[in-house]
Amino acid sequence: MLACARRAFVILFVAVGASALLAPATDAEPRFDIGGPLPTSYVTSPVTATDLALSPRHTTIKYHHAVRLVSRLTSKFGPVKGESVTWWARLPHGDWHRLATAKTNNDGRTAVTRHLAHTTQYEVRYGGDLLQDKSTSAVTTVKVLPPPRPKPTTAGFAERVLQEAARHQGAPYQYGAAGPSTFDCSGFTMYVFGRFGVHLSHNAAAQYNETRHISSAAKQPGDLIFFSGSGGIYHVGIYAGGGRMWAATHSGDVVRYESIYSASYVVGRVH
């Protein structure tokens, strides 16, 4: 009798187990193939993607002016705070070098400020961690305008020009020469003003066209005196005040401090 009862219990247990395994899955109780691989969600959680933005994307600034750049690290959950990001910089077509490392604030931001003399590109990188994926910002280019030309309108500039001219007193005249030891007339003025970043052509008539024309009565030290004749402008010197000038006049002569020897002249002011 007891043996019959045990057999009945085993048969009932096997039947219930089989029905549970063969029953169809429901929405409340998802099932998968016992013999197949486990779904990915049963193995690991995905790493959260991040986005690293850099602003402004592109900008232009004046020579030696400051630019402020801001990065922001975010994920689908919002700003990523307290994470280290690295700032990288390079000159166009140069190699990247590490500029700084900073931690993101509560808004996911970091910032750098730089005074620049050359066009520079920037990039920000985040290395990621166990829960968040790494990311890199787009490259931002900060274009720097060329330095401004000197404004030779102050007494200080004229004084420096005359000091430079006087430094070459006695240098021999040589046709076609533009320094530093021999000069012709336009080569002398080109060299002297070139020492202060002002470009003038190596020709007296061309130099007149490169200057602002003023009346002889308004001339000031540092202006250029252009002598003219029937064939046009043929000679130039640097006005020193008091009716005198510095000039390299002709072959066989030297750079000298001399009187303005003719009333047939016009005046040009270097901008």
Side-chain angles (χ1 to χ4, degrees):
M1 185 70 176
L2 182 59
C4 291
R6 286 177 178 173
R7 285 194 203 97
F9 176 77
V10 170
I11 293 171
L12 178 62
F13 178 80
V14 171
V16 171
S19 64
L21 289 174
L22 297 176
T26 65
D27 291 340
E29 186 184 3
R31 297 186 181 278
F32 50 85
D33 183 4
I34 295 177
L38 290 174
T40 303
S41 58
Y42 280 77
V43 178
T44 183
S45 298
V47 174
T48 302
T50 60
D51 178 70
L52 193 52
L54 182 56
S55 62
R57 277 299 310 276
H58 301 291
T59 190
T60 301
I61 63 172
K62 294 180 179 179
Y63 180 76
H64 264 311
H65 278 225
V67 63
R68 185 173 188 268
L69 299 169
V70 178
S71 74
R72 190 169 193 235
L73 181 64
T74 59
S75 72
K76 65 181 180 181
F77 301 111
V80 179
K81 62 181 180 180
E83 292 291 321
S84 293
V85 299
T86 54
W87 286 79
W88 295 76
R90 70 175 180 183
L91 299 179
H93 311 300
D95 295 327
W96 288 104
H97 65 274
R98 187 190 300 265
L99 184 67
T101 300
K103 278 192 177 294
T104 57
N105 64 14
N106 288 340
D107 199 29
R109 300 179 191 271
T110 67
V112 297
T113 300
R114 289 291 184 273
H115 288 77
L116 300 179
H118 305 283
T119 295
T120 306
Q121 293 181 319
Y122 291 92
E123 183 179 86
V124 184
R125 304 172 189 175
Y126 170 58
D129 57 22
L130 292 175
L131 300 179
Q132 295 167 132
D133 201 2
K134 63 183 181 180
S135 56
T136 300
S137 73
V139 174
T140 281
T141 299
V142 181
K143 181 180 179 181
V144 179
L145 297 175
R149 288 185 61 181
K151 296 181 179 179
T153 56
T154 66
F157 179 83
E159 182 179 356
R160 285 181 286 138
V161 165
L162 294 175
Q163 287 174 349
E164 178 65 23
R167 195 171 68 84
H168 301 282
Q169 183 175 14
Y173 179 98
Q174 180 181 340
Y175 181 76
S181 57
T182 59
F183 304 91
D184 63 11
C185 69
S186 61
F188 176 62
T189 53
M190 181 181 76
Y191 180 86
V192 169
F193 280 92
R195 298 282 289 174
F196 303 99
V198 178
H199 173 76
L200 294 173
S201 298
H202 193 176
N203 178 274
Q207 288 183 8
Y208 182 63
N209 292 330
E210 293 167 349
T211 61
R212 181 160 59 95
H213 303 164
I214 61 174
S215 68
S216 59
K219 66 182 178 293
Q220 297 177 2
D223 289 340
L224 293 175
I225 306 296
F226 296 93
F227 295 88
S228 60
S230 59
I233 292 172
Y234 64 88
H235 183 49
V236 60
I238 303 172
Y239 184 56
R244 299 176 72 83
M245 67 179 184
W246 286 100
T249 306
H250 56 75
S251 296
D253 205 346
V254 296
V255 172
R256 65 172 62 247
Y257 179 62
E258 61 183 1
S259 296
I260 297 176
Y261 56 82
S262 170
S264 298
Y265 69 85
V266 291
V267 181
R269 182 164 294 162
V270 178
H271 289 281

